[in-house]
Amino acid sequence: MTTSCNNDPFSARSADWDQSPRRLRLASDVLEALQRQVPLKPSWNVLEAGCGTGLVTLPLSLEVNSILAIDPSRDMLSVLETKTRGRNTITIRQTDLLELGTGNCPEAPFDCVFSSMTLHHIDDTAQALETMAGLLAPGGWLAIADLDSEDGFFHDDAAADVHHGFCREKITAMIENAGLHSPLVTTAATIDKTNRAGKQQAYTVFLATARK
Ligand SMILES: C[S@@+](CC[C@H](N)C(=O)[O-])C[C@H]1O[C@@H](n2cnc3c(N)ncnc32)[C@H](O)[C@@H]1O
């Protein structure tokens, strides 16, 4: 799992990341779930943790005032950079979420802290949630999309060091332990794919929201 900027398992996949219809569909479904569950406002300043190539970042940026888009992967961010030229609402920064405390994030606090399909790549889930909660303004919204508990065959790379999704009850408890209230977990998307075991499988993705 990623714990620092020196580890970039996404480098080799960055160039063709946006070519996958499955990923485009997932980003669209996650954005729709976000729009249903969070009252996005044009005045909002948003942090997106693990923005990757910006599949959600770009359409989301049309609905808010600004997005600070962070990711430790230089190559994923390079793809995003080519797509954001001429837009001044998206600020891109190469950093690990866990290195982004309130002390070294001048843009904080945020009206919304969002991530999609990133949490399962971070070893210390509780620390990640606490970091995100700490960057929120009072009343701000946390919104996390990620895999429900899966069979361990979702990732094509058997050596991928990831969480195999999350149990909704545990995520809810961790969100509350991070000091947030009114947690709500809904189903945002279903990913139909042939998994590493060669089996056609449906993997559900949740959207967990909560307020500070
Ligand atoms: C599966 S990709 C998802 C990218 C994008 N959110 C999307 O939906 O297309 C996971 C992303 O999380 C990033 N990531 C991994 N560990 C991270 C960390 N500790 N802090 C911030 N981002 C991280 C990876 O570099 C990668 O770009």
Side-chain angles (χ1 to χ4, degrees):
M1 293 180 205
T2 52
T3 53
S4 82
C5 291
N6 299 324
N7 180 4
D8 188 357
F10 286 89
S11 179
R13 299 152 74 198
S14 58
D16 64 357
W17 188 263
D18 290 3
Q19 306 311 313
S20 160
R22 181 166 53 74
R23 289 196 192 109
L24 298 179
R25 172 71 191 271
L26 173 61
S28 168
D29 288 349
V30 166
L31 180 65
E32 279 179 26
L34 191 64
Q35 289 165 328
R36 280 196 301 271
Q37 209 157 313
V38 176
L40 300 169
K41 291 189 174 55
S43 61
W44 276 15
N45 299 313
V46 175
L47 169 68
E48 183 181 357
C51 58
T53 62
L55 291 180
V56 182
T57 323
L58 276 119
L60 180 59
S61 73
L62 302 176
E63 306 201 27
V64 296
N65 181 56
S66 73
I67 299 185
L68 175 62
I70 66 154
D71 200 292
S73 170
R74 181 68 263 161
D75 293 327
M76 293 291 265
L77 292 179
S78 293
V79 176
L80 174 57
E81 271 161 8
T82 65
K83 298 189 289 185
T84 55
R85 281 189 194 126
R87 291 192 195 218
N88 56 10
T89 52
I90 301 174
T91 301
I92 296 170
R93 189 165 304 153
Q94 184 186 10
T95 183
D96 186 311
L97 168 66
L98 300 187
E99 292 168 6
L100 201 71
T102 42
N104 56 359
C105 185
E107 294 87 350
F110 296 94
D111 301 296
C112 177
V113 175
F114 164 72
S115 82
S116 182
M117 299 297 278
T118 297
L119 198 61
H120 67 263
H121 289 284
I122 302 177
D123 187 17
D124 192 338
T125 310
Q127 182 62 53
L129 292 171
E130 279 173 29
T131 301
M132 288 193 259
L135 291 162
L136 278 172
W141 287 76
L142 177 73
I144 294 172
D146 215 303
L147 290 163
D148 282 301
S149 297
E150 48 104 348
D151 55 10
F153 291 99
F154 177 83
H155 289 89
D156 296 335
D157 178 5
D161 187 13
V162 293
H163 295 283
H164 297 308
F166 299 97
C167 162
R168 293 188 182 194
E169 289 73 22
K170 283 188 183 162
I171 277 290
T172 301
M174 280 192 280
I175 285 172
E176 288 176 326
N177 285 341
L180 304 181
H181 66 86
S182 309
L184 175 64
V185 188
T186 64
T187 299
T190 301
I191 303 171
D192 285 305
K193 67 177 282 187
T194 305
N195 69 15
R196 197 172 71 248
K199 186 179 166 197
Q200 189 67 25
Q201 187 75 284
Y203 295 94
T204 53
V205 171
F206 64 81
L207 179 68
T209 56
R211 307 284 305 276
K212 184 160 180 176

